[in-house]
PDB file of all heavy atoms in Angstrom:
ATOM      1  N   ARG A  93     109.130 172.895  76.722  1.00 98.00           N
ATOM      2  CA  ARG A  93     109.337 171.965  77.837  1.00 98.00           C
ATOM      3  C   ARG A  93     109.824 172.722  79.068  1.00 98.00           C
ATOM      4  O   ARG A  93     109.379 172.474  80.184  1.00 98.00           O
ATOM      5  CB  ARG A  93     110.349 170.878  77.452  1.00 98.00           C
ATOM      6  CG  ARG A  93     110.536 169.838  78.554  1.00 98.00           C
ATOM      7  CD  ARG A  93     111.175 168.565  78.030  1.00 98.00           C
ATOM      8  NE  ARG A  93     112.545 168.724  77.608  1.00 98.00           N
ATOM      9  CZ  ARG A  93     113.600 168.611  78.425  1.00 98.00           C
ATOM     10  NH1 ARG A  93     113.428 168.349  79.705  1.00 98.00           N
ATOM     11  NH2 ARG A  93     114.820 168.775  77.963  1.00 98.00           N
ATOM     12  N   ARG A  98     109.000 174.422  84.388  1.00 96.00           N
ATOM     13  CA  ARG A  98     109.565 175.317  85.383  1.00 96.00           C
ATOM     14  C   ARG A  98     108.705 176.510  85.735  1.00 96.00           C
ATOM     15  O   ARG A  98     108.936 177.156  86.737  1.00 96.00           O
ATOM     16  CB  ARG A  98     110.958 175.749  84.935  1.00 96.00           C
ATOM     17  CG  ARG A  98     111.783 174.509  84.570  1.00 96.00           C
ATOM     18  CD  ARG A  98     113.191 174.518  84.982  1.00 96.00           C
ATOM     19  NE  ARG A  98     113.473 175.317  86.134  1.00 96.00           N
ATOM     20  CZ  ARG A  98     114.652 175.836  86.371  1.00 96.00           C
ATOM     21  NH1 ARG A  98     115.636 175.632  85.530  1.00 96.00           N
ATOM     22  NH2 ARG A  98     114.855 176.543  87.440  1.00 96.00           N
ATOM     23  N   ARG A 124     102.680 166.693  74.450  1.00 98.00           N
ATOM     24  CA  ARG A 124     103.090 165.499  73.711  1.00 98.00           C
ATOM     25  C   ARG A 124     103.340 164.331  74.670  1.00 98.00           C
ATOM     26  O   ARG A 124     103.777 164.512  75.806  1.00 98.00           O
ATOM     27  CB  ARG A 124     104.329 165.770  72.853  1.00 98.00           C
ATOM     28  CG  ARG A 124     105.568 166.071  73.642  1.00 98.00           C
ATOM     29  CD  ARG A 124     106.775 166.299  72.739  1.00 98.00           C
ATOM     30  NE  ARG A 124     107.120 165.108  71.965  1.00 98.00           N
ATOM     31  CZ  ARG A 124     108.262 164.947  71.324  1.00 98.00           C
ATOM     32  NH1 ARG A 124     109.186 165.894  71.343  1.00 98.00           N
ATOM     33  NH2 ARG A 124     108.503 163.851  70.643  1.00 98.00           N
ATOM     34  N   ARG A 132     103.167 166.047  84.271  1.00 92.00           N
ATOM     35  CA  ARG A 132     102.929 165.889  85.714  1.00 92.00           C
ATOM     36  C   ARG A 132     103.033 167.245  86.410  1.00 92.00           C
ATOM     37  O   ARG A 132     102.245 167.578  87.293  1.00 92.00           O
ATOM     38  CB  ARG A 132     103.980 164.950  86.332  1.00 92.00           C
ATOM     39  CG  ARG A 132     103.850 163.502  85.946  1.00 92.00           C
ATOM     40  CD  ARG A 132     104.650 162.611  86.882  1.00 92.00           C
ATOM     41  NE  ARG A 132     106.098 162.723  86.797  1.00 92.00           N
ATOM     42  CZ  ARG A 132     106.876 162.022  85.979  1.00 92.00           C
ATOM     43  NH1 ARG A 132     106.353 161.163  85.133  1.00 92.00           N
ATOM     44  NH2 ARG A 132     108.188 162.171  85.989  1.00 92.00           N
ATOM     45  N   GLN A 135      99.995 169.259  85.560  1.00 92.00           N
ATOM     46  CA  GLN A 135      98.816 168.722  86.247  1.00 92.00           C
ATOM     47  C   GLN A 135      98.835 169.119  87.723  1.00 92.00           C
ATOM     48  O   GLN A 135      97.820 169.504  88.294  1.00 92.00           O
ATOM     49  CB  GLN A 135      98.779 167.195  86.113  1.00 92.00           C
ATOM     50  CG  GLN A 135      97.594 166.543  86.797  1.00 92.00           C
ATOM     51  CD  GLN A 135      96.270 166.933  86.161  1.00 92.00           C
ATOM     52  OE1 GLN A 135      96.033 166.664  84.991  1.00 92.00           O
ATOM     53  NE2 GLN A 135      95.419 167.604  86.926  1.00 92.00           N
ATOM     54  N   THR A 161      91.863 171.027  81.403  1.00 95.00           N
ATOM     55  CA  THR A 161      92.190 169.607  81.354  1.00 95.00           C
ATOM     56  C   THR A 161      93.534 169.411  80.663  1.00 95.00           C
ATOM     57  O   THR A 161      93.769 169.989  79.599  1.00 95.00           O
ATOM     58  CB  THR A 161      91.109 168.833  80.577  1.00 95.00           C
ATOM     59  OG1 THR A 161      89.858 169.008  81.241  1.00 95.00           O
ATOM     60  CG2 THR A 161      91.443 167.351  80.507  1.00 95.00           C
ATOM     61  N   HIS A 163      95.819 167.074  78.600  1.00 96.00           N
ATOM     62  CA  HIS A 163      95.625 165.934  77.696  1.00 96.00           C
ATOM     63  C   HIS A 163      96.978 165.512  77.141  1.00 96.00           C
ATOM     64  O   HIS A 163      97.731 166.341  76.631  1.00 96.00           O
ATOM     65  CB  HIS A 163      94.687 166.356  76.561  1.00 96.00           C
ATOM     66  CG  HIS A 163      94.278 165.234  75.653  1.00 96.00           C
ATOM     67  ND1 HIS A 163      93.137 164.505  75.846  1.00 96.00           N
ATOM     68  CD2 HIS A 163      94.874 164.704  74.556  1.00 96.00           C
ATOM     69  CE1 HIS A 163      93.025 163.583  74.898  1.00 96.00           C
ATOM     70  NE2 HIS A 163      94.078 163.682  74.100  1.00 96.00           N
ATOM     71  N   GLY A 165      99.352 163.531  74.506  1.00 98.00           N
ATOM     72  CA  GLY A 165      99.414 162.933  73.169  1.00 98.00           C
ATOM     73  C   GLY A 165     100.023 161.543  73.251  1.00 98.00           C
ATOM     74  O   GLY A 165     100.231 160.995  74.324  1.00 98.00           O
ATOM     75  N   ALA A 166     100.341 160.973  72.076  1.00 98.00           N
ATOM     76  CA  ALA A 166     100.856 159.606  72.095  1.00 98.00           C
ATOM     77  C   ALA A 166     101.881 159.362  70.994  1.00 98.00           C
ATOM     78  O   ALA A 166     101.944 158.282  70.411  1.00 98.00           O
ATOM     79  CB  ALA A 166      99.707 158.603  71.998  1.00 98.00           C
ATOM     80  N   LEU A 181      92.441 165.476  69.925  1.00 98.00           N
ATOM     81  CA  LEU A 181      91.740 165.789  71.169  1.00 98.00           C
ATOM     82  C   LEU A 181      90.290 165.287  71.131  1.00 98.00           C
ATOM     83  O   LEU A 181      89.670 165.046  72.162  1.00 98.00           O
ATOM     84  CB  LEU A 181      91.784 167.307  71.396  1.00 98.00           C
ATOM     85  CG  LEU A 181      91.408 167.890  72.744  1.00 98.00           C
ATOM     86  CD1 LEU A 181      92.132 167.195  73.880  1.00 98.00           C
ATOM     87  CD2 LEU A 181      91.738 169.384  72.761  1.00 98.00           C
ATOM     88  N   GLU A 182      89.761 165.116  69.946  1.00 98.00           N
ATOM     89  CA  GLU A 182      88.416 164.540  69.813  1.00 98.00           C
ATOM     90  C   GLU A 182      88.449 163.025  69.865  1.00 98.00           C
ATOM     91  O   GLU A 182      87.405 162.367  69.735  1.00 98.00           O
ATOM     92  CB  GLU A 182      87.782 164.983  68.483  1.00 98.00           C
ATOM     93  CG  GLU A 182      87.318 166.422  68.480  1.00 98.00           C
ATOM     94  CD  GLU A 182      86.650 166.804  67.160  1.00 98.00           C
ATOM     95  OE1 GLU A 182      86.365 165.917  66.333  1.00 98.00           O
ATOM     96  OE2 GLU A 182      86.423 168.006  66.962  1.00 98.00           O
ATOM     97  N   ARG A 184      90.397 161.110  67.745  1.00 98.00           N
ATOM     98  CA  ARG A 184      90.525 160.583  66.383  1.00 98.00           C
ATOM     99  C   ARG A 184      91.987 160.444  66.002  1.00 98.00           C
ATOM    100  O   ARG A 184      92.871 160.850  66.748  1.00 98.00           O
ATOM    101  CB  ARG A 184      89.868 161.549  65.389  1.00 98.00           C
ATOM    102  CG  ARG A 184      88.415 161.753  65.627  1.00 98.00           C
ATOM    103  CD  ARG A 184      87.908 162.969  64.849  1.00 98.00           C
ATOM    104  NE  ARG A 184      86.583 163.328  65.340  1.00 98.00           N
ATOM    105  CZ  ARG A 184      85.467 162.745  64.937  1.00 98.00           C
ATOM    106  NH1 ARG A 184      85.508 161.821  64.004  1.00 98.00           N
ATOM    107  NH2 ARG A 184      84.312 163.093  65.444  1.00 98.00           N
ATOM    108  N   ARG A 185      92.231 159.895  64.808  1.00 98.00           N
ATOM    109  CA  ARG A 185      93.578 159.902  64.262  1.00 98.00           C
ATOM    110  C   ARG A 185      94.011 161.350  64.067  1.00 98.00           C
ATOM    111  O   ARG A 185      93.201 162.196  63.703  1.00 98.00           O
ATOM    112  CB  ARG A 185      93.604 159.164  62.914  1.00 98.00           C
ATOM    113  CG  ARG A 185      93.271 157.688  63.032  1.00 98.00           C
ATOM    114  CD  ARG A 185      92.928 157.081  61.698  1.00 98.00           C
ATOM    115  NE  ARG A 185      94.059 157.033  60.784  1.00 98.00           N
ATOM    116  CZ  ARG A 185      94.967 156.050  60.756  1.00 98.00           C
ATOM    117  NH1 ARG A 185      94.860 155.050  61.607  1.00 98.00           N
ATOM    118  NH2 ARG A 185      95.962 156.076  59.902  1.00 98.00           N
ATOM    119  N   TYR A 202      85.135 169.909  68.225  1.00 97.00           N
ATOM    120  CA  TYR A 202      83.717 169.541  68.086  1.00 97.00           C
ATOM    121  C   TYR A 202      82.988 170.513  67.152  1.00 97.00           C
ATOM    122  O   TYR A 202      81.814 170.821  67.348  1.00 97.00           O
ATOM    123  CB  TYR A 202      83.009 169.498  69.443  1.00 97.00           C
ATOM    124  CG  TYR A 202      83.785 168.802  70.529  1.00 97.00           C
ATOM    125  CD1 TYR A 202      84.189 169.496  71.669  1.00 97.00           C
ATOM    126  CD2 TYR A 202      84.140 167.457  70.405  1.00 97.00           C
ATOM    127  CE1 TYR A 202      84.931 168.860  72.657  1.00 97.00           C
ATOM    128  CE2 TYR A 202      84.873 166.819  71.390  1.00 97.00           C
ATOM    129  CZ  TYR A 202      85.259 167.529  72.511  1.00 97.00           C
ATOM    130  OH  TYR A 202      85.987 166.909  73.493  1.00 97.00           O
ATOM    131  N   SER A 245     120.999 174.216  69.575  1.00 98.00           N
ATOM    132  CA  SER A 245     121.550 172.875  69.738  1.00 98.00           C
ATOM    133  C   SER A 245     122.551 172.592  68.622  1.00 98.00           C
ATOM    134  O   SER A 245     122.755 173.415  67.739  1.00 98.00           O
ATOM    135  CB  SER A 245     120.419 171.841  69.717  1.00 98.00           C
ATOM    136  OG  SER A 245     119.813 171.821  68.448  1.00 98.00           O
ATOM    137  N   HIS A 247     126.414 171.777  67.213  1.00 98.00           N
ATOM    138  CA  HIS A 247     127.848 171.889  67.486  1.00 98.00           C
ATOM    139  C   HIS A 247     128.255 173.211  68.131  1.00 98.00           C
ATOM    140  O   HIS A 247     129.224 173.839  67.709  1.00 98.00           O
ATOM    141  CB  HIS A 247     128.631 171.686  66.189  1.00 98.00           C
ATOM    142  CG  HIS A 247     128.472 170.309  65.616  1.00 98.00           C
ATOM    143  ND1 HIS A 247     128.492 170.038  64.264  1.00 98.00           N
ATOM    144  CD2 HIS A 247     128.271 169.113  66.221  1.00 98.00           C
ATOM    145  CE1 HIS A 247     128.331 168.741  64.054  1.00 98.00           C
ATOM    146  NE2 HIS A 247     128.177 168.156  65.222  1.00 98.00           N
ATOM    147  N   ARG A 334     118.857 163.027  57.575  1.00 98.00           N
ATOM    148  CA  ARG A 334     118.284 162.931  58.903  1.00 98.00           C
ATOM    149  C   ARG A 334     117.065 163.834  59.056  1.00 98.00           C
ATOM    150  O   ARG A 334     116.083 163.486  59.699  1.00 98.00           O
ATOM    151  CB  ARG A 334     119.362 163.290  59.926  1.00 98.00           C
ATOM    152  CG  ARG A 334     119.230 162.578  61.235  1.00 98.00           C
ATOM    153  CD  ARG A 334     118.849 161.130  61.074  1.00 98.00           C
ATOM    154  NE  ARG A 334     119.946 160.234  60.760  1.00 98.00           N
ATOM    155  CZ  ARG A 334     120.441 159.328  61.587  1.00 98.00           C
ATOM    156  NH1 ARG A 334     119.944 159.201  62.787  1.00 98.00           N
ATOM    157  NH2 ARG A 334     121.416 158.540  61.187  1.00 98.00           N
TER     158      ARG A 334
ATOM    159  N   TYR B  18      85.695 165.515  79.638  1.00 93.00           N
ATOM    160  CA  TYR B  18      85.580 165.974  78.256  1.00 93.00           C
ATOM    161  C   TYR B  18      84.134 166.221  77.882  1.00 93.00           C
ATOM    162  O   TYR B  18      83.234 165.512  78.342  1.00 93.00           O
ATOM    163  CB  TYR B  18      86.179 164.931  77.310  1.00 93.00           C
ATOM    164  CG  TYR B  18      87.656 164.713  77.512  1.00 93.00           C
ATOM    165  CD1 TYR B  18      88.131 163.702  78.338  1.00 93.00           C
ATOM    166  CD2 TYR B  18      88.585 165.545  76.886  1.00 93.00           C
ATOM    167  CE1 TYR B  18      89.487 163.506  78.531  1.00 93.00           C
ATOM    168  CE2 TYR B  18      89.944 165.353  77.063  1.00 93.00           C
ATOM    169  CZ  TYR B  18      90.394 164.335  77.885  1.00 93.00           C
ATOM    170  OH  TYR B  18      91.739 164.153  78.073  1.00 93.00           O
ATOM    171  N   ARG B  22      84.093 160.506  73.384  1.00 96.00           N
ATOM    172  CA  ARG B  22      85.101 160.028  72.457  1.00 96.00           C
ATOM    173  C   ARG B  22      86.484 160.606  72.769  1.00 96.00           C
ATOM    174  O   ARG B  22      87.511 159.974  72.535  1.00 96.00           O
ATOM    175  CB  ARG B  22      84.670 160.403  71.035  1.00 96.00           C
ATOM    176  CG  ARG B  22      85.700 160.025  70.045  1.00 96.00           C
ATOM    177  CD  ARG B  22      85.267 160.177  68.611  1.00 96.00           C
ATOM    178  NE  ARG B  22      86.302 159.519  67.814  1.00 96.00           N
ATOM    179  CZ  ARG B  22      86.102 158.939  66.664  1.00 96.00           C
ATOM    180  NH1 ARG B  22      84.917 158.947  66.127  1.00 96.00           N
ATOM    181  NH2 ARG B  22      87.093 158.364  66.034  1.00 96.00           N
ATOM    182  N   SER B  23      86.501 161.838  73.296  1.00 96.00           N
ATOM    183  CA  SER B  23      87.780 162.490  73.576  1.00 96.00           C
ATOM    184  C   SER B  23      88.619 161.734  74.596  1.00 96.00           C
ATOM    185  O   SER B  23      89.812 161.955  74.703  1.00 96.00           O
ATOM    186  CB  SER B  23      87.551 163.917  74.082  1.00 96.00           C
ATOM    187  OG  SER B  23      87.211 164.770  73.017  1.00 96.00           O
ATOM    188  N   TYR B  30      95.857 154.458  77.224  1.00 95.00           N
ATOM    189  CA  TYR B  30      97.004 154.315  78.123  1.00 95.00           C
ATOM    190  C   TYR B  30      96.643 153.426  79.321  1.00 95.00           C
ATOM    191  O   TYR B  30      97.452 152.628  79.781  1.00 95.00           O
ATOM    192  CB  TYR B  30      97.482 155.676  78.625  1.00 95.00           C
ATOM    193  CG  TYR B  30      98.362 156.425  77.644  1.00 95.00           C
ATOM    194  CD1 TYR B  30      98.118 157.767  77.338  1.00 95.00           C
ATOM    195  CD2 TYR B  30      99.465 155.811  77.054  1.00 95.00           C
ATOM    196  CE1 TYR B  30      98.931 158.470  76.461  1.00 95.00           C
ATOM    197  CE2 TYR B  30     100.283 156.508  76.177  1.00 95.00           C
ATOM    198  CZ  TYR B  30     100.013 157.836  75.884  1.00 95.00           C
ATOM    199  OH  TYR B  30     100.828 158.523  75.031  1.00 95.00           O
ATOM    200  N   SER B  60      91.675 151.887  64.919  1.00 98.00           N
ATOM    201  CA  SER B  60      92.117 152.838  63.904  1.00 98.00           C
ATOM    202  C   SER B  60      92.810 154.032  64.560  1.00 98.00           C
ATOM    203  O   SER B  60      93.830 154.517  64.081  1.00 98.00           O
ATOM    204  CB  SER B  60      90.908 153.272  63.071  1.00 98.00           C
ATOM    205  OG  SER B  60      91.054 154.588  62.621  1.00 98.00           O
ATOM    206  N   TYR B  65      99.131 156.258  66.461  1.00 98.00           N
ATOM    207  CA  TYR B  65     100.088 156.847  67.400  1.00 98.00           C
ATOM    208  C   TYR B  65     101.141 155.828  67.812  1.00 98.00           C
ATOM    209  O   TYR B  65     100.796 154.723  68.239  1.00 98.00           O
ATOM    210  CB  TYR B  65      99.343 157.343  68.648  1.00 98.00           C
ATOM    211  CG  TYR B  65      98.294 158.384  68.348  1.00 98.00           C
ATOM    212  CD1 TYR B  65      96.963 158.023  68.109  1.00 98.00           C
ATOM    213  CD2 TYR B  65      98.629 159.734  68.280  1.00 98.00           C
ATOM    214  CE1 TYR B  65      96.000 158.974  67.826  1.00 98.00           C
ATOM    215  CE2 TYR B  65      97.667 160.695  68.000  1.00 98.00           C
ATOM    216  CZ  TYR B  65      96.353 160.311  67.773  1.00 98.00           C
ATOM    217  OH  TYR B  65      95.403 161.258  67.489  1.00 98.00           O
ATOM    218  N   SER B  82     117.084 159.806  67.481  1.00 97.00           N
ATOM    219  CA  SER B  82     118.004 159.805  66.343  1.00 97.00           C
ATOM    220  C   SER B  82     117.748 160.975  65.413  1.00 97.00           C
ATOM    221  O   SER B  82     118.135 160.939  64.260  1.00 97.00           O
ATOM    222  CB  SER B  82     117.898 158.510  65.541  1.00 97.00           C
ATOM    223  OG  SER B  82     117.236 157.508  66.236  1.00 97.00           O
ATOM    224  N   SER B  85     119.631 166.949  65.928  1.00 98.00           N
ATOM    225  CA  SER B  85     120.566 167.501  66.911  1.00 98.00           C
ATOM    226  C   SER B  85     121.309 166.390  67.648  1.00 98.00           C
ATOM    227  O   SER B  85     122.501 166.508  67.943  1.00 98.00           O
ATOM    228  CB  SER B  85     119.827 168.390  67.916  1.00 98.00           C
ATOM    229  OG  SER B  85     119.134 169.406  67.238  1.00 98.00           O
ATOM    230  N   LEU B  88     123.854 164.802  65.228  1.00 98.00           N
ATOM    231  CA  LEU B  88     125.085 165.591  65.072  1.00 98.00           C
ATOM    232  C   LEU B  88     126.072 165.305  66.202  1.00 98.00           C
ATOM    233  O   LEU B  88     127.272 165.497  66.052  1.00 98.00           O
ATOM    234  CB  LEU B  88     124.755 167.096  65.058  1.00 98.00           C
ATOM    235  CG  LEU B  88     124.022 167.629  63.828  1.00 98.00           C
ATOM    236  CD1 LEU B  88     123.590 169.078  64.052  1.00 98.00           C
ATOM    237  CD2 LEU B  88     124.902 167.525  62.584  1.00 98.00           C
ATOM    238  N   ASP B  92     123.776 157.954  66.749  1.00 98.00           N
ATOM    239  CA  ASP B  92     123.806 156.625  66.138  1.00 98.00           C
ATOM    240  C   ASP B  92     124.713 155.683  66.939  1.00 98.00           C
ATOM    241  O   ASP B  92     124.415 154.495  67.078  1.00 98.00           O
ATOM    242  CB  ASP B  92     124.272 156.716  64.681  1.00 98.00           C
ATOM    243  CG  ASP B  92     123.200 157.332  63.785  1.00 98.00           C
ATOM    244  OD1 ASP B  92     122.173 157.799  64.326  1.00 98.00           O
ATOM    245  OD2 ASP B  92     123.385 157.357  62.553  1.00 98.00           O
ATOM    246  N   CYS B 120     112.908 163.275  67.532  1.00 98.00           N
ATOM    247  CA  CYS B 120     113.220 164.326  68.518  1.00 98.00           C
ATOM    248  C   CYS B 120     112.330 164.288  69.760  1.00 98.00           C
ATOM    249  O   CYS B 120     111.112 164.391  69.687  1.00 98.00           O
ATOM    250  CB  CYS B 120     113.131 165.702  67.874  1.00 98.00           C
ATOM    251  SG  CYS B 120     113.520 167.037  69.038  1.00 98.00           S
ATOM    252  N   GLY B 122     112.662 166.446  72.318  1.00 98.00           N
ATOM    253  CA  GLY B 122     112.645 167.750  72.983  1.00 98.00           C
ATOM    254  C   GLY B 122     113.732 167.910  74.021  1.00 98.00           C
ATOM    255  O   GLY B 122     113.541 168.568  75.045  1.00 98.00           O
ATOM    256  N   ASP B 176     118.688 173.284  83.558  1.00 85.00           N
ATOM    257  CA  ASP B 176     118.804 172.715  84.890  1.00 85.00           C
ATOM    258  C   ASP B 176     117.442 172.427  85.490  1.00 85.00           C
ATOM    259  O   ASP B 176     116.475 173.108  85.214  1.00 85.00           O
ATOM    260  CB  ASP B 176     119.530 173.698  85.823  1.00 85.00           C
ATOM    261  CG  ASP B 176     120.982 173.806  85.424  1.00 85.00           C
ATOM    262  OD1 ASP B 176     121.510 172.820  84.872  1.00 85.00           O
ATOM    263  OD2 ASP B 176     121.564 174.874  85.641  1.00 85.00           O
ATOM    264  N   GLU B 181     112.133 164.431  92.044  1.00 81.00           N
ATOM    265  CA  GLU B 181     110.781 163.891  91.957  1.00 81.00           C
ATOM    266  C   GLU B 181     110.785 162.477  92.496  1.00 81.00           C
ATOM    267  O   GLU B 181     111.688 161.712  92.210  1.00 81.00           O
ATOM    268  CB  GLU B 181     110.348 163.839  90.486  1.00 81.00           C
ATOM    269  CG  GLU B 181     109.289 164.827  90.111  1.00 81.00           C
ATOM    270  CD  GLU B 181     108.663 164.415  88.778  1.00 81.00           C
ATOM    271  OE1 GLU B 181     109.324 163.765  87.963  1.00 81.00           O
ATOM    272  OE2 GLU B 181     107.505 164.752  88.575  1.00 81.00           O
ATOM    273  N   ALA B 191     104.400 158.021  82.432  1.00 91.00           N
ATOM    274  CA  ALA B 191     103.997 158.063  83.836  1.00 91.00           C
ATOM    275  C   ALA B 191     103.261 159.363  84.102  1.00 91.00           C
ATOM    276  O   ALA B 191     103.826 160.366  84.501  1.00 91.00           O
ATOM    277  CB  ALA B 191     105.226 157.967  84.732  1.00 91.00           C
ATOM    278  N   GLU B 206      90.103 167.256  90.264  1.00 74.00           N
ATOM    279  CA  GLU B 206      90.520 168.461  90.940  1.00 74.00           C
ATOM    280  C   GLU B 206      89.376 168.975  91.808  1.00 74.00           C
ATOM    281  O   GLU B 206      88.214 168.905  91.408  1.00 74.00           O
ATOM    282  CB  GLU B 206      90.904 169.552  89.927  1.00 74.00           C
ATOM    283  CG  GLU B 206      92.154 169.243  89.142  1.00 74.00           C
ATOM    284  CD  GLU B 206      91.889 168.361  87.928  1.00 74.00           C
ATOM    285  OE1 GLU B 206      90.760 167.843  87.805  1.00 74.00           O
ATOM    286  OE2 GLU B 206      92.813 168.186  87.132  1.00 74.00           O
ATOM    287  N   ARG B 209      86.095 170.901  90.698  1.00 76.00           N
ATOM    288  CA  ARG B 209      85.889 170.701  89.273  1.00 76.00           C
ATOM    289  C   ARG B 209      84.513 170.124  89.029  1.00 76.00           C
ATOM    290  O   ARG B 209      84.059 169.221  89.705  1.00 76.00           O
ATOM    291  CB  ARG B 209      86.938 169.754  88.731  1.00 76.00           C
ATOM    292  CG  ARG B 209      86.900 169.689  87.238  1.00 76.00           C
ATOM    293  CD  ARG B 209      87.763 168.585  86.700  1.00 76.00           C
ATOM    294  NE  ARG B 209      87.562 168.559  85.273  1.00 76.00           N
ATOM    295  CZ  ARG B 209      88.399 169.077  84.408  1.00 76.00           C
ATOM    296  NH1 ARG B 209      89.537 169.594  84.805  1.00 76.00           N
ATOM    297  NH2 ARG B 209      88.133 169.076  83.112  1.00 76.00           N
ATOM    298  N   THR B 224      87.871 163.651  60.693  1.00 42.00           N
ATOM    299  CA  THR B 224      88.131 162.346  60.102  1.00 42.00           C
ATOM    300  C   THR B 224      88.207 161.341  61.224  1.00 42.00           C
ATOM    301  O   THR B 224      88.481 161.702  62.355  1.00 42.00           O
ATOM    302  CB  THR B 224      89.454 162.364  59.344  1.00 42.00           C
ATOM    303  OG1 THR B 224      90.437 162.942  60.184  1.00 42.00           O
ATOM    304  CG2 THR B 224      89.335 163.178  58.097  1.00 42.00           C
TER     305      THR B 224
END
Side-chain angles (χ1 to χ4, degrees):
Chain A
R93 183 162 68 87
R98 309 220 27 205
R124 66 179 297 194
R132 289 196 291 271
Q135 180 65 61
T161 300
H163 187 93
L181 193 50
E182 286 182 11
R184 299 166 193 277
R185 296 164 67 85
Y202 315 118
S245 66
H247 296 148
R334 211 41 81 110
Chain B
Y18 297 94
R22 176 172 191 150
S23 284
Y30 279 131
S60 148
Y65 300 92
S82 344
S85 304
L88 290 172
D92 288 7
C120 181
D176 291 332
E181 250 197 332
E206 292 84 350
R209 189 190 176 101
T224 48

